[in-house]
Amino acid sequence: MADQVPPRVTAVDDAGVHLAPGEDTVVDVLFDGRRIWSFWTVRDTVDGVAAWPPMLRKYLTGTAEVSVVEHLTGTVAYDGEVTLGSGGGRIAVVDAQGRPLGLDKSNRIVTTFDTRDPEHTKPLLDSTEQLLDALREAGVDAFPAYGTLLGAVREQDFIGHDSDVDLGYVSRETHPLDVVRESFRLQRFLKERGYAVDRYSAAAFKVDVVEADGTVRGLDVFGGFFLDGRLYLMGEIGTPFELDWIFPLGTCTLAGRTLPAPARPEKLLEATYGPGWQVPDPAFHFETPRTTNRRLNGWFRGMRVFRNEWDARYSGRARGRVPGGGPSRLAQFVREQEEHIDLLVDVGAGQGGDALWFARDGVPTMTLDYAHGASSGVRRVAEQEGLDLDTSWVNLHELRSVLAQGSRIALRQGHVVLMANHLVDSTDPRGLRALVRLARMSLAGRGTPGRLYLELDVLGPGEHYRPSGRRDIVRPKDLGRVEAALTSGGAVIVHSTETEVRRGSGKPERPVARLVAEWQR
Amino acid sequence: MAAVNRPFRERVVERVARAVAGDRLDQLQQRLEDLEAEVQECRQLNVRLAEVTDLVEQLLLPMAARDEEQIAAAVEKYSRTM
């Protein structure tokens, strides 16, 4: 380290930070004296330029005193007034409330700990202790993990460039199947006590804790277990490990609080961050071995198909919104076709605009969606207006939720109608099969035939659709395959039409199919 | 430097292997991909089976009681705590 030549920055401009060739070292980029971003000078550069991360770009208009400082030595490699974008005013990397933001190690724009004072971290510590207690009561001994454990052991505090709290636990179960069952049980335990739980995988979830000032904070809980002498911990670890490096738990100190810790925390930190874990690296990237990823993927993952994209669509200003614009064409078609409905279920209802329209028309209505909080606005209105509108949760990639909601609907008396507007084109073949299962459970075996109404974007003849990016989540499907999935699930297609409609947002014209599938027995 | 050399080294290894094994190399690579896919299919059964087991466990007792109200309440509770 002593012999290392400090990095040399040649320019800072709209493209990013330009560096002369040199050794790979981690640097912080400061705007007006505050750390915004960190990167490795070789690993994270292309042709000598560390490009501004996409999440940061929208803030980069104006002037700032930009400093590039070697993280470990504090050597200043660059310091000067820089004007970026169209200029005008000081660059302010802050949120809507004016709170300072920075990039974490994954280049997400967040409120990092280095900008929070003790009065802000106290509620987080309270929440952490509260959740650790709840998990202990539920039967697992959890402890701070990942960056939270690293901070506690290395600095007895939160790491400045970190932004969240991670907890981990090591299950006493030894088969992934039982680890999953235990994780479901923990979720149920926490939900029964009023926590909002959002599942990342079959062995990890986020728990929302409401703090004293009403702020909702998500704490991540990662499950782990031993198998054949290796410790697997969601979502990055799979390494030879000793049970007595975890149990009996010891303690660590985090910002003045004594919290549980693995018996040998340094062993877990080495497994997580490598032998150099004691050297701070604000731009650390996990290099999880392929075999570990494949195992964790195979055992536990696969239930979040397009979840992040839909959650993003319904977050921020869209949260709590009551959709306007009237009912969809499919909802109007359902209303024309069905004289009397005892229960209308909108699967993939999103914000629930159609459901609200049905409920206001006196139809008992249920929405099902996997995006948490998408329908919170409609739920609020339904409560105010005293409407018979139930907003429930289903994930087509969590079989148990499909089975449970299917049996819930099956228990309802009378004429039940399901609709799914652009759901089939927003999921994958597994999701489609799950929808068919849900419909069959809900509609088959009733006195009168039960119907599922669908609309979806369909492929043209011989067309192979190429999504334009990760956010392009409504992807046209082959109509024949959708019909085949329905008929193989026991349905009869009683209506199938295709219309050419113009899409919004500059997309080309695209045929939309309307299907009615009926379960006659 | 190792990272820079690896593709070249890999290319050399592949060329030598191809000279020795011929088409057999493609067959083995294909077989490896197939096996990996099959292993992953087996792993994915874990979650499916755990989900069914969890549901059955939670609903079996109310079902055994043959009490419709209890069954409906159990289904309701199960759905609300996912």
Side-chain angles (χ1 to χ4, degrees):
Chain A
M1 187 65 68
D3 298 336
Q4 196 157 342
V5 181
R8 204 159 57 81
V9 174
T10 54
V12 176
D13 60 19
D14 285 325
V17 178
H18 298 249
L19 295 118
E23 292 174 54
D24 203 10
T25 182
V26 64
V27 293
D28 295 328
V29 179
L30 287 70
F31 286 8
D32 293 331
R34 185 168 72 77
R35 179 204 165 271
I36 299 292
W37 172 42
S38 306
F39 64 88
W40 281 85
T41 53
V42 174
R43 186 194 71 185
D44 300 331
T45 55
V46 177
D47 296 334
V49 181
W52 299 113
M55 296 290 281
L56 190 57
R57 283 184 172 273
K58 69 174 179 180
Y59 300 94
L60 301 182
T61 258
T63 302
E65 186 195 346
V66 176
S67 317
V68 181
V69 178
E70 199 174 10
H71 185 78
L72 295 177
T73 61
T75 307
V76 178
Y78 183 91
D79 188 40
E81 285 281 304
V82 174
T83 299
L84 299 173
S86 51
R90 301 300 292 178
I91 292 175
V93 186
V94 295
D95 67 8
Q97 284 75 43
R99 287 178 295 217
L101 297 171
L103 294 172
D104 68 5
K105 66 179 187 303
S106 310
N107 281 346
R108 288 173 306 193
I109 197 117
V110 292
T111 314
T112 50
F113 286 117
D114 48 16
T115 63
R116 301 186 206 170
D117 49 37
E119 84 180 72
H120 291 112
T121 49
K122 182 187 174 297
L124 180 60
L125 286 162
D126 292 343
S127 302
T128 303
E129 288 188 321
Q130 188 191 335
L131 184 57
L132 285 167
D133 287 345
L135 288 166
R136 194 176 308 117
E137 201 188 329
V140 295
D141 293 323
F143 47 80
Y146 290 107
T148 315
L149 182 67
L150 181 62
V153 171
R154 198 172 63 194
E155 300 163 23
Q156 291 75 56
D157 205 345
F158 293 107
I159 291 177
H161 51 263
D162 203 358
S163 62
D164 55 6
V165 164
D166 293 332
L167 303 180
Y169 66 88
V170 176
S171 174
R172 302 287 186 166
E173 303 291 351
T174 55
H175 193 286
L177 188 148
D178 294 315
V179 175
V180 174
R181 288 175 53 230
E182 181 177 63
S183 181
F184 291 158
R185 188 176 60 72
L186 294 176
Q187 180 178 10
R188 195 154 42 238
F189 182 93
L190 295 170
K191 291 275 285 192
E192 282 170 1
R193 276 148 191 82
Y195 290 97
V197 181
D198 186 12
R199 187 162 280 287
Y200 292 135
S201 72
F205 48 78
K206 182 182 76 170
V207 181
D208 282 341
V209 179
V210 184
E211 295 178 349
D213 64 353
T215 308
V216 178
R217 189 169 321 262
L219 286 80
D220 293 339
V221 181
F222 298 99
F225 72 114
F226 276 92
L227 180 65
D228 295 334
R230 296 180 86 92
L231 171 69
Y232 292 97
L233 180 69
M234 288 301 280
E236 311 287 350
I237 298 172
T239 187
F241 217 78
E242 301 291 331
L243 185 63
D244 60 12
W245 293 349
I246 297 287
F247 298 116
L249 291 188
T251 59
C252 62
T253 304
L254 182 67
R257 309 275 180 111
T258 301
L259 301 176
R264 300 278 303 275
E266 73 282 5
K267 293 287 187 187
L268 186 58
L269 290 170
E270 190 175 332
T272 314
Y273 298 107
W277 64 269
Q278 283 168 303
V279 181
D281 178 0
F284 177 80
H285 286 183
F286 284 108
E287 288 178 10
T288 309
R290 183 171 175 272
T291 49
T292 300
N293 256 333
R294 276 176 52 81
R295 283 189 170 90
L296 297 178
N297 286 349
W299 288 329
F300 304 121
R301 293 191 177 118
M303 46 180 59
R304 287 187 70 86
V305 177
F306 299 139
R307 257 302 292 284
N308 295 346
E309 288 76 16
W310 283 110
D311 282 353
R313 193 172 285 197
Y314 296 130
S315 66
R317 274 182 295 177
R319 187 176 296 280
R321 203 174 72 86
V322 180
S328 67
R329 292 176 311 135
L330 181 64
Q332 292 175 60
F333 179 69
V334 171
R335 202 71 193 99
E336 287 160 16
Q337 298 296 309
E338 301 287 342
E339 273 181 28
H340 174 82
I341 304 174
D342 289 300
L343 177 66
L344 183 283
V345 183
D346 188 356
V347 191
Q351 292 182 311
D354 282 342
L356 183 62
W357 181 72
F358 275 107
R360 281 178 168 159
D361 199 27
V363 177
T365 305
M366 178 191 293
T367 67
L368 291 175
D369 206 287
Y370 72 165
H372 278 293
S375 58
S376 58
V378 158
R379 184 167 59 234
R380 190 181 64 242
V381 170
E383 279 168 15
Q384 285 164 359
E385 298 181 15
L387 303 175
D388 188 351
L389 196 164
D390 172 293
T391 55
S392 287
W393 186 84
V394 78
N395 180 355
L396 295 178
H397 293 83
E398 284 190 53
L399 177 63
R400 64 197 184 116
S401 77
V402 172
L403 297 177
Q405 297 296 4
S407 55
R408 247 184 108 209
I409 300 166
L411 287 168
R412 293 285 288 255
Q413 303 293 317
H415 185 53
V416 175
V417 174
L418 264 61
M419 64 175 272
N421 198 14
H422 290 285
L423 170 64
V424 171
D425 38 347
S426 306
T427 189
D428 62 6
R430 222 180 105 197
L432 171 61
R433 285 196 298 277
L435 174 66
V436 173
R437 185 191 297 274
L438 177 74
R440 184 170 60 183
M441 284 183 76
S442 306
L443 302 174
R446 292 182 171 272
T448 56
R451 291 197 194 103
L452 166 65
Y453 290 76
L454 300 171
E455 268 194 16
L456 64 141
D457 288 6
V458 290
L459 294 168
E463 184 189 357
H464 179 73
Y465 186 76
R466 289 187 194 285
S468 60
R470 273 181 49 213
R471 290 188 178 174
D472 185 11
I473 45 184
V474 179
R475 300 175 181 181
K477 295 288 184 284
D478 180 300
L479 182 59
R481 286 194 183 173
V482 175
E483 290 183 337
L486 288 159
T487 50
S488 70
V492 176
I493 309 293
V494 295
H495 177 104
S496 177
T497 52
E498 231 177 90
T499 54
E500 194 89 2
V501 293
R502 183 170 285 284
R503 300 286 304 279
S505 66
K507 284 202 171 188
E509 281 185 5
R510 158 77 54 199
V512 172
R514 178 177 292 164
L515 287 177
V516 183
E518 193 171 271
W519 275 262
Q520 298 174 342
R521 285 182 293 175
Chain B
M1 292 302 279
V4 177
N5 282 337
R6 201 174 299 135
F8 174 71
R9 199 177 295 162
E10 276 176 18
R11 281 204 305 275
V12 172
V13 168
E14 174 148 355
R15 211 174 299 157
V16 172
R18 195 165 291 284
V20 176
D23 290 348
R24 189 92 178 104
L25 188 65
D26 290 331
Q27 290 167 15
L28 285 169
Q29 276 175 341
Q30 184 59 49
R31 186 74 195 117
L32 190 64
E33 281 174 28
D34 292 346
L35 281 169
E36 282 194 340
E38 287 170 24
V39 167
Q40 213 62 346
E41 284 163 18
C42 293
R43 286 196 182 117
Q44 282 160 357
L45 269 179
N46 280 300
V47 174
R48 311 275 285 176
L49 190 52
E51 293 197 80
V52 175
T53 313
D54 185 67
L55 183 70
V56 169
E57 268 179 358
Q58 295 302 310
L59 300 186
L60 212 53
L61 287 180
M63 301 257 287
R66 291 168 187 253
D67 178 330
E68 283 200 14
E69 271 185 25
Q70 264 194 47
I71 294 171
V75 171
E76 196 66 30
K77 184 179 168 195
Y78 190 87
S79 308
R80 294 282 169 207
T81 54
M82 280 184 301

